[in-house]
Amino acid sequence: RKEVEQDPGPFNVPEGATVAFNCTYSNSASQSFFWYRQDCRKEPKLLMSVYSSGNEDGRFTAQLNRASQYISLLIRDSKLSDSATYLCVVNAGSNFGNEKLTFGTGTRLTIIP
Amino acid sequence: EPEVTQTPSHQVTQMGQEVILRCVPISNHLYFYWYRQILGQKVEFLVSFYNNEISEKSEIFDDQFSVERPDGSNFTLKIRSTKLEDSAMYFCASSEPVAGGYEQYFGPGTRLTVT
């Protein structure tokens, strides 16, 4: 089983639609979870951390299910600028504060005007 | 907004040559990292660094690689004898503790091309 598994897509959705990404991780000892976005040939940019209680930042909502080892990201009212690759990222570090991040392969999203 | 910076943006080198990739982490961050991304593949962890020593390293980070914090601001990755398969984007990242964990911020990367 891959350490972090994502549907590679691509997802092509019309502007204004809601889109959901899912991710599973294999290491049950993982402590921290994140969504990053990456534009073509650019660095990963932190979108949001994912907390057990779920969290929301504007149009973005992230959920974590530790029992199922499952993470999700929901984007509402999608905009053209949301077009990017969305990376599911899990902390696989062995020491607290030493966050060795394990990345999924990413899900490519294209918002269509 | 503070950010991680990296130089050069693109480095072309011949196989067998040594390269040094430079990074300036965010100033109040204490943890530093190098990752790489081969074209078309996922981002992979190389090494983490804290308190002037390596905290953890991956299998990729073999004896050809080394890291250093030569002064209070720079963080470098050295590849002693480059191979063709070292061609990749190399990202530096830094982090600080925040509520619930440590969030890593990435620099813009150095594209290394080994010919």
Side-chain angles (χ1 to χ4, degrees):
Chain A
R1 184 178 174 185
K2 289 182 184 174
E3 289 182 276
V4 179
E5 197 149 4
Q6 294 181 252
D7 182 342
F11 283 38
N12 300 314
V13 302
E15 197 173 1
T18 296
V19 60
F21 301 129
N22 303 316
C23 166
T24 57
Y25 61 94
S26 61
N27 185 352
S28 59
S30 299
Q31 293 297 318
S32 307
F33 310 88
F34 309 90
W35 284 100
Y36 280 74
R37 68 170 278 167
Q38 186 174 31
D39 294 288
C40 190
R41 294 179 176 260
K42 300 283 190 183
E43 76 272 25
K45 289 197 169 161
L46 180 64
L47 187 62
M48 56 199 305
S49 300
V50 187
Y51 304 121
S52 296
S53 54
N55 47 303
E56 188 174 310
D57 183 2
R59 298 182 292 109
F60 299 84
T61 301
Q63 297 277 350
L64 167 65
N65 184 323
R66 284 186 187 270
S68 303
Q69 295 178 205
Y70 171 93
I71 307 162
S72 66
L73 176 69
L74 188 77
I75 306 175
R76 287 182 300 279
D77 187 25
S78 53
K79 304 193 183 306
L80 295 177
S81 57
D82 293 334
S83 296
T85 297
Y86 288 81
L87 307 174
C88 178
V89 183
V90 173
N91 164 34
S94 55
N95 302 310
F96 181 70
N98 177 18
E99 306 267 299
K100 167 189 164 185
L101 299 182
T102 298
F103 285 74
T105 50
T107 299
R108 181 92 185 102
L109 172 67
T110 301
I111 305 300
I112 303 163
Chain B
E1 185 176 319
E3 55 185 24
V4 177
T5 59
Q6 289 186 243
T7 54
S9 57
H10 191 190
Q11 173 91 48
V12 181
T13 189
Q14 287 191 323
M15 197 167 53
Q17 295 297 304
E18 174 183 286
V19 294
I20 298 176
L21 310 183
R22 292 184 166 80
C23 167
V24 178
I26 295 172
S27 62
N28 61 331
H29 285 186
L30 300 177
Y31 299 88
F32 314 116
Y33 311 84
W34 284 100
Y35 293 82
R36 80 170 187 191
Q37 186 175 30
I38 295 170
L39 188 64
Q41 298 186 22
K42 65 179 183 178
V43 178
E44 299 174 289
F45 170 80
L46 291 178
V47 66
S48 59
F49 190 86
Y50 171 68
N51 200 26
N52 281 319
E53 60 182 28
I54 291 174
S55 303
E56 194 158 348
K57 57 185 181 179
S58 70
E59 292 173 355
I60 303 168
F61 194 89
D62 61 22
D63 293 343
Q64 295 295 323
F65 292 87
S66 62
V67 289
E68 193 178 30
R69 188 155 164 81
D71 54 43
S73 59
N74 290 285
F75 179 50
T76 62
L77 174 69
K78 182 193 289 187
I79 309 175
R80 263 180 274 280
S81 177
T82 49
K83 308 183 190 69
L84 293 175
E85 55 265 36
D86 293 329
S87 294
M89 195 75 160
Y90 287 81
F91 295 109
C92 173
S94 67
S95 70
E96 63 167 350
V98 296
Y102 290 67
E103 295 176 342
Q104 289 189 28
Y105 295 90
F106 284 72
T110 293
R111 179 166 300 283
L112 176 65
T113 303
V114 182
T115 61

